[in-house]
Amino acid sequence: MVQDFVDAAYRWVLGTADIVRQLLPLIVFGILAAAAVWLAYRKIDPEGQAEFGKRLRSGSGHAGRAALVALATLVLGGLLVQAGKTVQSRRDTIEQATASRRREPNLSGIVQFAPAIALVEDKTYTRSLTLPPDFATRIGAEGIQVLAPYLSDPSSDNVLKLVDSFKRSGQDVVFTRQLTRRDELPVAADGAEIKVVFHDEGAPSGRRHYNAEFTGEYRFRNPRPDAAPMRFVFDLPEGGGTVQEFYIEILGTRMMEPDEQGVYAWNGTIPAGQTVTAHVHYRVSGAAEYDYRLGSERRRIGDFHLVTMCPQPPQYAKSGIYPTSLSGAQSEWRLKDVLTSQSISLVFPRADLQSQLLNKTISVLPAALALFALAALLLCSDRAFWGSAAFGVALLAVPVLSAYLTPAVATVIGAVLAAAAGGLVLRNPRGWIVSILAAALTTVFLTVEHGGLAAWIIAVVAVGLIALQRPAKEPQI
């Protein structure tokens, strides 16, 4: 960090010197023009020129000190600005790196779809085609695939049986296909009790990632007057990271592996009118968002109850369903016989208060330096240059130490060093007041939400203390 900062500061100084070099002809021309005007004034009005020269020489000391203080403030203020850019660049590099020693997982949001529940029934479909003799000849030469445009695809996963037959009818040929297919008739869920507990995990960049524990109970029943096979399908969450401890348990049977199609599904025969409860559980890691899709087919959901718990309250997407109740860290959705294609969307905003604190603090450092230099020039002009230089160099400790310490600790240490350096150089009560108050200005954002109020209070205190330090008038004799 120190090496990066020194390199950036060196490049900034070189850039400033290059600007001065480009302006050098104008500076030389201005000096020569001023000299010519001065000589002309001396020829025209020698006495006026002499008097003006005395006044100019008497004020040249103050002007020189002001110029030196302005130069020191400009250079050190530029270094502080460059330090802020270096800190931001370093933070971006760490966040975008593919590998790091810090805990900074590159995870996406999680999308969880509601389960699909259906009645399973086998149906046989019959399709007959009357073919002319030439078409029958083509079938004999090219095969049954010449009828593909007129028939459904027999390779679907839900096709159980396929029987093709040919029969003559005069000169024509009658082709008959019997296809037995397993169909699924969607069934509404009678109830859902879902609980998702989020455990926040910190990250240096402030991007919130979490470990979520999902527990769900889904109730459904056989609506037929007789026993019927049913199917319960639950998709794994999309996005996020590793899924752990996943299982589906129905009627004492626990499934932890997918079927031959790679689907996590339960199949079983349920008696007429019987209600079954499916238990689903898993843990998963994600970041930024969590989305629960109630269903895109607008099927009715009976009693729907979802509870989420998170240490830091999330936000809720405007396009989603807002919680029916909020209580501290708990959000709750209670829906009854709902038909919706909306989802429940939780958004976890960045928790980079530390980064925001550092950015605001570094942004106020040049202003604190400028205020210190101005006050020192007015109250302690003979030591204003060295005081400004010492104060500005001490402030550089804030961005440098931020690479090794928390922003709050780095800010406090930098403020203490600046107050001590400025006060020791100015060496009088007024100097200490100016130094302490200017250093205190750099810490106003430690209050997070009351930085403006703290800055205003510091300004009022500064005016009051400086006024109290004014020397008393000597009594007239």
Side-chain angles (χ1 to χ4, degrees):
M1 173 63 186
V2 177
Q3 182 180 358
D4 294 339
F5 169 68
V6 171
D7 180 65
Y10 178 70
R11 285 187 280 107
W12 182 85
V13 171
L14 288 182
T16 305
D18 185 64
I19 295 175
V20 174
R21 181 182 62 80
Q22 294 177 7
L23 295 176
L24 187 60
L26 294 177
I27 296 174
V28 173
F29 177 78
I31 293 174
L32 293 177
V37 171
W38 180 261
L39 293 175
Y41 185 30
R42 184 174 183 178
K43 291 291 185 181
I44 297 172
D45 186 7
E47 295 181 1
Q49 188 266 353
E51 183 66 23
F52 180 75
K54 291 180 181 180
R55 292 198 300 267
L56 186 63
R57 284 191 295 272
S58 64
S60 61
H62 296 289
R65 284 192 290 269
L68 288 175
V69 171
L71 178 63
T73 304
L74 176 64
V75 173
L76 291 172
L79 295 181
L80 290 171
V81 172
Q82 191 63 42
K85 295 180 180 179
T86 304
V87 170
Q88 182 63 42
S89 176
R90 181 176 181 273
R91 189 187 305 120
D92 293 340
T93 301
I94 293 175
E95 184 174 352
Q96 297 172 7
T98 57
S100 174
R101 291 185 178 181
R102 301 185 179 185
R103 181 176 177 80
E104 187 73 37
N106 187 17
L107 298 175
S108 62
I110 293 176
V111 177
Q112 177 61 67
F113 291 90
I117 307 169
L119 284 165
V120 180
E121 54 185 4
D122 299 340
K123 290 185 178 181
T124 301
Y125 301 88
T126 302
R127 178 75 183 274
S128 296
L129 298 174
T130 300
L131 308 174
D134 59 336
F135 213 95
T137 303
R138 285 184 58 192
I139 293 176
E142 301 178 23
I144 196 69
Q145 63 267 18
V146 298
L147 297 177
Y150 311 100
L151 302 171
S152 59
D153 184 11
S155 62
S156 301
D157 294 336
N158 57 349
V159 174
L160 302 178
K161 185 179 180 182
L162 181 68
V163 178
D164 295 333
S165 62
F166 294 87
K167 182 180 179 181
R168 280 196 172 274
S169 176
Q171 293 185 350
D172 297 331
V173 176
V174 178
F175 171 78
T176 302
R177 167 169 284 184
Q178 288 186 338
L179 184 145
T180 302
R181 188 176 67 188
R182 177 159 293 171
D183 290 340
E184 295 183 3
L185 179 64
V187 175
D190 292 332
E193 290 283 342
I194 306 167
K195 184 177 182 181
V196 186
V197 180
F198 297 94
H199 303 279
D200 272 355
E201 300 289 339
S205 67
R207 187 169 184 264
R208 288 177 64 183
H209 64 275
Y210 55 80
N211 291 321
E213 181 179 4
F214 180 96
T215 304
E217 294 184 359
Y218 300 92
R219 299 188 307 276
F220 60 96
R221 62 185 177 86
N222 176 12
R224 296 289 177 82
D226 51 4
M230 298 191 71
R231 180 177 173 87
F232 178 89
V233 179
F234 191 89
D235 295 325
L236 288 177
E238 295 184 359
T242 304
V243 179
Q244 304 180 68
E245 303 177 15
F246 177 84
Y247 66 82
I248 302 173
E249 185 173 341
I250 302 177
L251 297 176
T253 301
R254 175 171 290 196
M255 291 163 297
M256 303 176 66
E257 300 293 336
D259 58 17
E260 58 274 9
Q261 282 81 35
V263 178
Y264 288 87
W266 174 89
N267 297 276
T269 300
I270 300 177
Q274 181 176 339
T275 298
V276 176
T277 301
H279 302 271
V280 182
H281 178 270
Y282 65 82
R283 294 177 182 269
V284 66
S285 54
E289 297 179 359
Y290 183 89
D291 197 38
Y292 186 88
R293 307 283 176 85
L294 276 72
S296 60
E297 299 182 14
R298 302 186 68 86
R299 293 195 298 271
R300 180 184 65 84
I301 303 175
D303 297 323
F304 180 85
H305 184 209
L306 171 64
V307 177
T308 62
M309 301 187 68
C310 182
Q312 298 185 31
Q315 297 177 354
Y316 309 98
K318 294 180 180 179
S319 59
I321 303 175
Y322 196 77
T324 54
S325 66
L326 294 171
S327 177
Q330 179 173 303
S331 306
E332 193 170 0
W333 289 261
R334 287 188 179 273
L335 308 174
K336 178 71 173 179
D337 292 331
V338 62
L339 291 170
T340 182
S341 59
Q342 286 183 290
S343 61
I344 295 174
S345 300
L346 280 70
V347 179
F348 299 90
R350 296 176 66 93
D352 53 352
L353 294 179
Q354 294 290 321
S355 299
Q356 295 177 19
L357 167 64
L358 183 59
N359 291 338
K360 292 179 179 179
T361 299
I362 292 179
S363 67
V364 84
L365 294 181
L369 173 60
L371 292 175
F372 174 87
L374 179 60
L377 191 61
L378 294 176
L379 301 177
C380 311
S381 60
D382 55 335
R383 301 187 185 93
F385 170 74
W386 294 110
S388 300
F391 189 84
V393 171
L395 287 183
L396 291 173
V398 176
V400 172
L401 293 178
S402 66
Y404 311 98
L405 304 172
T406 63
V409 174
T411 300
V412 171
I413 293 177
V416 171
L417 291 177
L424 290 174
V425 173
L426 297 183
R427 293 185 298 176
N428 60 49
R430 287 187 177 187
W432 278 103
I433 292 173
V434 168
S435 185
I436 292 174
L437 292 178
L441 184 62
T442 66
T443 66
V444 294
F445 291 110
L446 294 179
T447 60
V448 181
E449 297 180 354
H450 308 290
L453 178 61
W456 179 79
I457 293 175
I458 290 174
V460 172
V461 172
V463 173
L465 291 179
I466 292 176
L468 291 176
Q469 289 294 321
R470 294 178 61 184
K473 294 183 179 180
E474 296 183 358
Q476 298 180 355
I477 303 175

